[in-house]
Amino acid sequence: MLYTLLFLSGAAVLALELLASRIMTPYFGVSLYIWTGILSITLIALALGYWAGGRFAASRRAAPNVARLASLFALMPAVASFAIVAACSAYPWLFPLLAGANLVLGAFAACLFLLFVPLFAASAMNPLLIAILLARGGGRPGDAGAGTVFFVSTLGSVAGVLATAFGLIHYLSNFSATLAVALALALLSLIAAIRPPAPLAARAGLGLAGAAATVVAALMLWQADAYTGRMWPAAYGGRSWQVEASFRSLFGTVKVLRSAPDESGRFARIYFQDGLVQNTVGSDGRSLSFYTYALEALAFAYRPRIGSALVLGLGAGIVPMRLAGRGVAVEAVEIDPASLAAATRIFGFDPSRVRVHLADARTQLRRCGRSHDVIVVDLFHGDGTPDYLITRDFFSDLRHCLGPDGIAVFNTFADLERPVAYAHLLATLREELPHIVLYRPDWQGTAHVNSFIVAGTRPLPEPQQILLDYVPLQHTAALNLMLARPMTLDRGLLQNGEIVTDARNRALHDVAESQIAYRRAVVQSLPAAFLVN
């Protein structure tokens, strides 16, 4: 029974860490600095828990009192449960404030708030169990039982990761799944009080604590959707929004947000992922996002007769469907099955017209079966493109999938206040696709802007005039102006740019700083309800 409690508490520890990373991503992103904070706080909590448990076990009050040690050991899951419920009740409102104030320090504070007490309490159980075994004469020469204790605890952690990744995440929101972990921990203390694994010094008190924690966690879990639902409807962009659907996978949560209809009955939908608005689509199925029309226009401006196209990154499926509607043979690559589900069920994506590969973009490029006229690169996770998808090695794989006169069209974000982060991307891309033209819309007062790159292995032709009668009126003027003002690479754009490879990335800190600035701006502009998943 003692080992069972330890095994299950170890499972809860890793389940909570995994869920916490998903909870915090919409608020703090996935940059290098943020993950440094999360891992640091996690390890500090575990270290202090081990230390505190050992100190108490060695104190005169505890040793060799098995009943006192066992009571404290069995109480720890209930303590962790209360802390998790308290954190869940507050973080939907607290985390936006922390992220808006200071993203790095806010991430540390958020991790402390969400993880410290549960991890501290659970890790204290390991030295307490070792002390119980010693007091009962379970130690052997050269081993006080620590090997078995940490073996069982670690196996429990492995089980917790697997159960969370392939169970909880698929069926519950991160908010509800975290409360489910709290309920499981509370039940451990309650069961220990009902069927003591060893003599207990305060069995009634343990039973009361376990029962109270169980009731609180169960009630909170039962009312989880109603609790977070009080944050809706949420006002954004002059509209009122509600959650229409959620799609979960190991890669994150895709939320589809729907606005209230206007006087004519028209509404809009937002494809929301990783805490970012990835696309906005009208009730007629037409994209309301500038970048979708920019990618399409640039592809046809440089390759008026496109036979085949490869789209890396599906999102709501707007870009590949637009290309397919113009007679192009399109393949799309998407790593997240939740994206494909949302695109198909909500946004009108038709897999019979676009061949979809559910795979990592890097892997798919390496087994590219044909040369394409156009490759559209629209890859984002968190605050930017994952590191391994902006290296020279990746661009080399991409080059091998282009036809002789093929072009790659990239959707990227540039931080105009920190141009060195973008210079790294341009310097790296130029090593494999040396002929590059850059386009940016003229959005005054905006620090982070969509920047579109057209690149090829051969000199690019003069872009053709594009008829933009299919573009919504709110984007026509800006798109026309952008197409008329291409930017060629110069020393200013490439200044201090470093070539990034799989083996060496000296640009990490510059990119991380840019991502932090972008995430802070996003959190400050979005209602808190959008970020809860």
Side-chain angles (χ1 to χ4, degrees):
M1 185 64 174
L2 289 169
Y3 283 120
T4 299
L5 290 173
L6 185 69
F7 179 90
L8 294 175
S9 66
V13 165
L14 262 292
L16 184 59
E17 287 186 53
L18 181 57
L19 290 168
S21 68
R22 293 167 63 89
I23 285 171
M24 293 176 64
T25 293
Y27 303 97
F28 304 99
V30 291
S31 77
L32 174 67
Y33 298 148
I34 303 308
W35 272 108
T36 300
I38 292 174
L39 294 175
S40 298
I41 296 300
T42 296
L43 294 174
I44 289 171
L46 293 176
L48 290 176
Y50 295 143
W51 175 82
R55 288 282 300 211
F56 182 85
S59 68
R60 293 182 179 180
R61 294 179 59 198
N65 193 329
V66 174
R68 189 182 296 275
L69 290 168
S71 293
L72 185 60
F73 175 85
L75 179 64
M76 290 297 101
V79 172
S81 178
F82 278 123
I84 294 170
V85 172
C88 284
S89 67
Y91 86 73
W93 290 270
L94 175 63
F95 283 11
L97 300 177
L98 293 175
N102 185 295
L103 209 70
V104 177
L105 295 179
F108 274 81
C111 197
L112 275 170
F113 184 77
L114 188 60
L115 289 178
F116 185 82
V117 173
L119 297 186
F120 178 91
S123 60
M125 295 174 69
N126 292 52
L128 289 172
L129 180 52
I130 294 170
I132 292 170
L133 295 175
L134 283 172
R136 294 171 64 176
R140 299 178 181 178
D143 180 14
T148 303
V149 166
F150 282 96
F151 171 77
V152 171
S153 177
T154 303
L155 282 184
S157 297
V158 174
V161 169
L162 295 175
T164 303
F166 298 103
L168 286 178
I169 285 174
H170 285 277
Y171 300 105
L172 297 173
S173 68
N174 296 324
F175 184 83
S176 294
T178 305
L179 290 171
V181 173
L183 178 58
L185 286 167
L187 286 171
L188 292 182
S189 291
L190 181 60
I191 292 170
I194 295 172
R195 298 192 61 180
L200 299 175
R203 182 177 177 183
L206 175 64
L208 182 62
T214 299
V215 170
V216 170
L219 287 174
M220 192 70 175
L221 178 59
W222 177 44
Q223 291 295 312
D225 290 341
Y227 186 79
T228 56
R230 292 187 302 175
M231 305 176 76
W232 298 94
Y236 174 70
R239 298 172 183 257
S240 178
W241 299 87
Q242 288 276 10
V243 178
E244 181 177 4
S246 293
F247 301 87
R248 304 179 187 94
S249 75
L250 297 178
F251 300 96
T253 301
V254 175
K255 286 196 290 192
V256 179
L257 310 177
R258 177 168 170 162
S259 71
D262 59 19
E263 297 81 2
S264 61
R266 292 177 296 183
F267 59 89
R269 287 187 173 100
I270 288 177
Y271 178 99
F272 193 81
Q273 187 175 25
D274 296 326
L276 302 176
V277 176
Q278 304 279 17
N279 207 336
T280 305
V281 180
S283 52
D284 58 358
R286 297 182 68 199
S287 172
L288 301 177
S289 299
F290 178 86
Y291 81 90
T292 59
Y293 299 102
L295 290 173
E296 180 182 353
L298 288 169
F300 281 99
Y302 284 90
R303 285 300 301 261
R305 290 176 293 278
I306 303 174
S308 67
L310 178 65
V311 179
L312 303 180
L314 180 66
I318 300 298
V319 173
M321 284 299 291
R322 284 287 310 174
L323 295 175
R326 298 179 67 165
V328 179
V330 184
E331 296 181 45
V333 181
E334 174 58 55
I335 196 173
D336 190 351
S339 295
L340 178 59
T344 303
R345 299 178 195 176
I346 304 294
F347 293 100
F349 178 75
D350 185 356
S352 68
R353 301 179 63 189
V354 177
R355 183 184 178 188
V356 179
H357 304 275
L358 275 177
D360 179 75
R362 183 77 176 267
T363 303
Q364 188 61 34
L365 284 181
R366 287 178 173 172
R367 59 190 183 205
C368 186
R370 61 181 296 183
S371 296
H372 296 277
D373 298 323
V374 172
I375 297 180
V376 177
V377 183
D378 189 19
L379 297 169
F380 289 93
H381 176 67
D383 305 312
T385 304
D387 296 337
Y388 71 102
L389 298 179
I390 52 174
T391 67
R392 181 175 181 178
D393 310 75
F394 171 74
F395 296 138
S396 176
D397 294 335
L398 187 149
R399 175 170 55 85
H400 291 302
C401 290
L402 284 172
D405 295 313
I407 61 166
V409 184
F410 295 80
N411 178 26
T412 66
F413 267 92
D415 184 350
L416 302 183
E417 295 179 351
R418 299 167 183 82
V420 66
Y422 203 70
H424 298 312
L425 170 65
L426 295 174
T428 304
L429 177 61
R430 189 177 64 165
E431 292 300 303
E432 296 297 330
L433 300 175
H435 303 282
I436 296 174
V437 179
L438 178 65
Y439 290 85
R440 286 178 183 165
D442 186 16
W443 292 336
Q444 295 295 326
T446 303
H448 290 84
V449 296
N450 279 103
S451 291
F452 305 96
I453 301 171
V454 180
T457 58
R458 297 181 179 180
L460 298 172
E462 285 295 318
Q464 301 295 308
Q465 186 73 28
I466 299 297
L467 184 63
L468 300 178
D469 55 349
Y470 60 90
V471 178
L473 289 177
Q474 67 264 32
H475 296 317
T476 302
L479 186 54
N480 266 316
L481 182 61
M482 185 189 79
L483 294 175
R485 298 168 59 182
M487 303 167 59
T488 56
L489 294 193
D490 56 29
R491 290 185 177 180
L493 290 170
L494 295 169
Q495 186 175 5
N496 298 320
E498 297 275 355
I499 298 171
V500 176
T501 67
D502 288 344
R504 187 181 187 188
N505 189 348
R506 296 176 61 182
L508 275 175
H509 291 285
D510 294 323
V511 173
E513 289 179 1
S514 179
Q515 290 177 346
I516 286 172
Y518 179 55
R519 174 62 61 172
R520 185 186 301 114
V522 166
V523 171
Q524 291 173 341
S525 67
L526 292 175
F530 279 31
L531 302 171
V532 179
N533 59 5

